[in-house]
PDB file of all heavy atoms in Angstrom:
ATOM      1  N   ALA E  45     147.571 -35.237 122.553  1.00 98.00           N
ATOM      2  CA  ALA E  45     148.402 -36.357 122.101  1.00 98.00           C
ATOM      3  C   ALA E  45     149.853 -35.924 122.015  1.00 98.00           C
ATOM      4  O   ALA E  45     150.130 -34.724 122.004  1.00 98.00           O
ATOM      5  CB  ALA E  45     147.909 -36.840 120.700  1.00 98.00           C
ATOM      6  N   VAL E  46     150.762 -36.868 121.996  1.00 97.00           N
ATOM      7  CA  VAL E  46     152.170 -36.478 121.822  1.00 97.00           C
ATOM      8  C   VAL E  46     152.367 -35.822 120.464  1.00 97.00           C
ATOM      9  O   VAL E  46     151.598 -36.034 119.512  1.00 97.00           O
ATOM     10  CB  VAL E  46     153.112 -37.695 121.943  1.00 97.00           C
ATOM     11  CG1 VAL E  46     153.028 -38.346 123.334  1.00 97.00           C
ATOM     12  CG2 VAL E  46     152.774 -38.769 120.860  1.00 97.00           C
ATOM     13  N   GLY E  70     146.445 -44.551 128.904  1.00 98.00           N
ATOM     14  CA  GLY E  70     145.980 -43.311 128.332  1.00 98.00           C
ATOM     15  C   GLY E  70     146.100 -43.333 126.817  1.00 98.00           C
ATOM     16  O   GLY E  70     147.130 -43.046 126.227  1.00 98.00           O
ATOM     17  N   LEU E  72     143.705 -41.930 124.433  1.00 98.00           N
ATOM     18  CA  LEU E  72     143.047 -40.852 123.687  1.00 98.00           C
ATOM     19  C   LEU E  72     142.567 -41.406 122.329  1.00 98.00           C
ATOM     20  O   LEU E  72     141.784 -42.367 122.345  1.00 98.00           O
ATOM     21  CB  LEU E  72     144.019 -39.684 123.538  1.00 98.00           C
ATOM     22  CG  LEU E  72     143.380 -38.328 123.067  1.00 98.00           C
ATOM     23  CD1 LEU E  72     142.445 -37.764 124.131  1.00 98.00           C
ATOM     24  CD2 LEU E  72     144.470 -37.292 122.765  1.00 98.00           C
ATOM     25  N   SER E  76     149.663 -41.920 119.854  1.00 98.00           N
ATOM     26  CA  SER E  76     150.948 -42.462 120.341  1.00 98.00           C
ATOM     27  C   SER E  76     150.968 -43.985 120.163  1.00 98.00           C
ATOM     28  O   SER E  76     152.016 -44.605 119.941  1.00 98.00           O
ATOM     29  CB  SER E  76     151.213 -42.079 121.752  1.00 98.00           C
ATOM     30  OG  SER E  76     150.108 -42.412 122.601  1.00 98.00           O
ATOM     31  N   GLU E  94     142.187 -46.992 128.166  1.00 98.00           N
ATOM     32  CA  GLU E  94     141.505 -45.705 128.012  1.00 98.00           C
ATOM     33  C   GLU E  94     140.183 -45.724 128.775  1.00 98.00           C
ATOM     34  O   GLU E  94     139.354 -46.604 128.643  1.00 98.00           O
ATOM     35  CB  GLU E  94     141.230 -45.401 126.505  1.00 98.00           C
ATOM     36  CG  GLU E  94     140.349 -44.199 126.245  1.00 98.00           C
ATOM     37  CD  GLU E  94     140.840 -42.914 126.897  1.00 98.00           C
ATOM     38  OE1 GLU E  94     142.049 -42.585 126.755  1.00 98.00           O
ATOM     39  OE2 GLU E  94     140.025 -42.250 127.620  1.00 98.00           O
ATOM     40  N   LEU E  95     140.034 -44.691 129.593  1.00 97.00           N
ATOM     41  CA  LEU E  95     138.829 -44.576 130.422  1.00 97.00           C
ATOM     42  C   LEU E  95     137.556 -44.460 129.614  1.00 97.00           C
ATOM     43  O   LEU E  95     136.545 -45.131 129.872  1.00 97.00           O
ATOM     44  CB  LEU E  95     138.990 -43.345 131.335  1.00 97.00           C
ATOM     45  CG  LEU E  95     137.867 -43.013 132.315  1.00 97.00           C
ATOM     46  CD1 LEU E  95     137.689 -44.106 133.336  1.00 97.00           C
ATOM     47  CD2 LEU E  95     138.148 -41.665 132.993  1.00 97.00           C
ATOM     48  N   ARG E  99     136.366 -42.709 123.232  1.00 98.00           N
ATOM     49  CA  ARG E  99     137.739 -42.502 122.765  1.00 98.00           C
ATOM     50  C   ARG E  99     138.370 -43.848 122.367  1.00 98.00           C
ATOM     51  O   ARG E  99     139.117 -43.912 121.391  1.00 98.00           O
ATOM     52  CB  ARG E  99     138.571 -41.819 123.891  1.00 98.00           C
ATOM     53  CG  ARG E  99     138.081 -40.437 124.164  1.00 98.00           C
ATOM     54  CD  ARG E  99     138.906 -39.736 125.240  1.00 98.00           C
ATOM     55  NE  ARG E  99     138.366 -38.366 125.469  1.00 98.00           N
ATOM     56  CZ  ARG E  99     138.954 -37.470 126.212  1.00 98.00           C
ATOM     57  NH1 ARG E  99     140.061 -37.738 126.817  1.00 98.00           N
ATOM     58  NH2 ARG E  99     138.373 -36.311 126.361  1.00 98.00           N
ATOM     59  N   ALA E 123     141.835 -47.133 134.234  1.00 95.00           N
ATOM     60  CA  ALA E 123     143.116 -47.770 134.067  1.00 95.00           C
ATOM     61  C   ALA E 123     143.473 -48.611 135.302  1.00 95.00           C
ATOM     62  O   ALA E 123     144.054 -49.655 135.190  1.00 95.00           O
ATOM     63  CB  ALA E 123     144.199 -46.745 133.800  1.00 95.00           C
ATOM     64  N   ASP E 144     150.592 -42.226 130.298  1.00 98.00           N
ATOM     65  CA  ASP E 144     150.247 -40.899 129.720  1.00 98.00           C
ATOM     66  C   ASP E 144     148.745 -40.673 129.920  1.00 98.00           C
ATOM     67  O   ASP E 144     148.036 -40.329 129.001  1.00 98.00           O
ATOM     68  CB  ASP E 144     150.569 -40.906 128.219  1.00 98.00           C
ATOM     69  CG  ASP E 144     150.436 -39.547 127.577  1.00 98.00           C
ATOM     70  OD1 ASP E 144     150.483 -38.540 128.321  1.00 98.00           O
ATOM     71  OD2 ASP E 144     150.267 -39.454 126.355  1.00 98.00           O
ATOM     72  N   ALA E 145     148.300 -40.862 131.188  1.00 97.00           N
ATOM     73  CA  ALA E 145     146.873 -40.606 131.472  1.00 97.00           C
ATOM     74  C   ALA E 145     146.730 -39.416 132.380  1.00 97.00           C
ATOM     75  O   ALA E 145     147.395 -38.385 132.185  1.00 97.00           O
ATOM     76  CB  ALA E 145     146.238 -41.867 132.013  1.00 97.00           C
ATOM     77  N   ASN E 146     145.932 -39.525 133.426  1.00 94.00           N
ATOM     78  CA  ASN E 146     145.774 -38.405 134.347  1.00 94.00           C
ATOM     79  C   ASN E 146     146.903 -38.360 135.364  1.00 94.00           C
ATOM     80  O   ASN E 146     147.275 -39.335 135.968  1.00 94.00           O
ATOM     81  CB  ASN E 146     144.390 -38.511 135.051  1.00 94.00           C
ATOM     82  CG  ASN E 146     144.157 -39.870 135.681  1.00 94.00           C
ATOM     83  OD1 ASN E 146     144.707 -40.830 135.210  1.00 94.00           O
ATOM     84  ND2 ASN E 146     143.333 -39.936 136.695  1.00 94.00           N
ATOM     85  N   TYR E 153     149.694 -45.705 138.891  1.00 94.00           N
ATOM     86  CA  TYR E 153     149.960 -46.410 137.638  1.00 94.00           C
ATOM     87  C   TYR E 153     151.402 -46.973 137.650  1.00 94.00           C
ATOM     88  O   TYR E 153     151.619 -48.035 137.149  1.00 94.00           O
ATOM     89  CB  TYR E 153     149.775 -45.468 136.432  1.00 94.00           C
ATOM     90  CG  TYR E 153     148.373 -44.921 136.305  1.00 94.00           C
ATOM     91  CD1 TYR E 153     148.138 -43.657 135.784  1.00 94.00           C
ATOM     92  CD2 TYR E 153     147.266 -45.689 136.696  1.00 94.00           C
ATOM     93  CE1 TYR E 153     146.862 -43.173 135.645  1.00 94.00           C
ATOM     94  CE2 TYR E 153     145.981 -45.214 136.576  1.00 94.00           C
ATOM     95  CZ  TYR E 153     145.776 -43.947 136.034  1.00 94.00           C
ATOM     96  OH  TYR E 153     144.536 -43.427 135.929  1.00 94.00           O
TER      97      TYR E 153
HETATM   98  N1  SAH W 501     148.756 -41.251 124.807  1.00 94.40           N
HETATM   99  C1  SAH W 501     147.852 -40.385 124.062  1.00 94.40           C
HETATM  100  C2  SAH W 501     147.335 -39.226 124.852  1.00 94.40           C
HETATM  101  C3  SAH W 501     146.599 -39.644 126.077  1.00 94.40           C
HETATM  102  S1  SAH W 501     145.708 -38.295 126.780  1.00 94.40           S
HETATM  103  C4  SAH W 501     148.636 -39.857 122.844  1.00 94.40           C
HETATM  104  O1  SAH W 501     149.703 -39.292 123.051  1.00 94.40           O
HETATM  105  O2  SAH W 501     148.141 -39.985 121.734  1.00 94.40           O
HETATM  106  C5  SAH W 501     145.221 -38.966 128.298  1.00 94.40           C
HETATM  107  C6  SAH W 501     144.080 -39.983 128.203  1.00 94.40           C
HETATM  108  O3  SAH W 501     144.003 -40.614 129.440  1.00 94.40           O
HETATM  109  C7  SAH W 501     142.734 -39.352 127.965  1.00 94.40           C
HETATM  110  O4  SAH W 501     142.140 -39.841 126.770  1.00 94.40           O
HETATM  111  C8  SAH W 501     141.894 -39.700 129.168  1.00 94.40           C
HETATM  112  O5  SAH W 501     140.550 -40.035 128.842  1.00 94.40           O
HETATM  113  C9  SAH W 501     142.640 -40.882 129.657  1.00 94.40           C
HETATM  114  N2  SAH W 501     142.419 -41.117 131.102  1.00 94.40           N
HETATM  115  C10 SAH W 501     142.261 -40.191 132.078  1.00 94.40           C
HETATM  116  N3  SAH W 501     142.006 -40.781 133.279  1.00 94.40           N
HETATM  117  C11 SAH W 501     142.025 -42.125 133.046  1.00 94.40           C
HETATM  118  C12 SAH W 501     141.805 -43.242 133.864  1.00 94.40           C
HETATM  119  N4  SAH W 501     141.544 -43.103 135.142  1.00 94.40           N
HETATM  120  N5  SAH W 501     141.886 -44.482 133.287  1.00 94.40           N
HETATM  121  C13 SAH W 501     142.196 -44.584 131.979  1.00 94.40           C
HETATM  122  N6  SAH W 501     142.388 -43.565 131.124  1.00 94.40           N
HETATM  123  C14 SAH W 501     142.290 -42.317 131.651  1.00 94.40           C
END
Side-chain angles (χ1 to χ4, degrees):
V46 296
L72 193 68
S76 53
E94 171 55 50
L95 179 64
R99 293 182 181 188
D144 188 22
N146 50 335
Y153 300 147

